[in-house]
Amino acid sequence: MEAEGKKQLFVREGTILYRLDPTDIKWIEVEGNYLYIITESKRFTLRISLRKLEQKLPAHQFIKIHRSVIVRFGAIDKVDFSAGVVFVGEKDLPLGPTYKEKLLTTLELLN
C-alpha cells in the first residue's frame, strides 16, 4: 500500500493491525515456521514466507543476506566478509556465501 509516496506495511498481531514504515525495520529473520520483523522498539511475529514478505518490501532499501535473513541497508553498521557476518548494532547476522558477492557489489555502489 502506498501512502504519501512511501510504501507502508500492515502487520497484524492478534486483533491489532500495526502500520509499519519499512524504514523502521532493522532486519527480518526466519526461525522454523515463524518470521520475525525486528524494529527499534518491537519484534513482530508472523506466519508468512520470507519470499512473500520480500516482494512487499522496497527493493532499494533491503537485501537478502542469508536464506533466512533480510536486512535494511540503513541498519547495517559493519560487515565482516571473512567471517560471514553482518552487524546491525550489537546483533550479528549470518551472511550466506551465496549472498556475499551481491552485498559487496551493492555496498560498493552506495559508496
Side-chain angles (χ1 to χ4, degrees), residues 12 23 28 49 63 76 98-99 109:
R12 183 175 56 198
T23 59
I28 300 160
S49 74
I63 189 164
I76 296 173
T98 308
Y99 304 95
L109 290 175

Side-chain angles (χ1 to χ4, degrees), residues 51-92:
R51 180 175 300 198
K52 191 171 183 178
L53 181 60
E54 185 177 15
Q55 293 171 351
K56 296 176 183 282
L57 296 171
H60 66 282
Q61 291 181 22
F62 292 87
I63 189 164
K64 193 170 189 176
I65 60 167
H66 187 270
R67 64 182 173 84
S68 62
V69 180
I70 295 174
V71 67
R72 186 175 53 82
F73 286 115
I76 296 173
D77 291 312
K78 61 183 175 179
V79 180
D80 184 340
F81 285 99
S82 62
V85 178
V86 174
F87 292 89
V88 176
E90 295 299 314
K91 176 70 173 175
D92 58 327

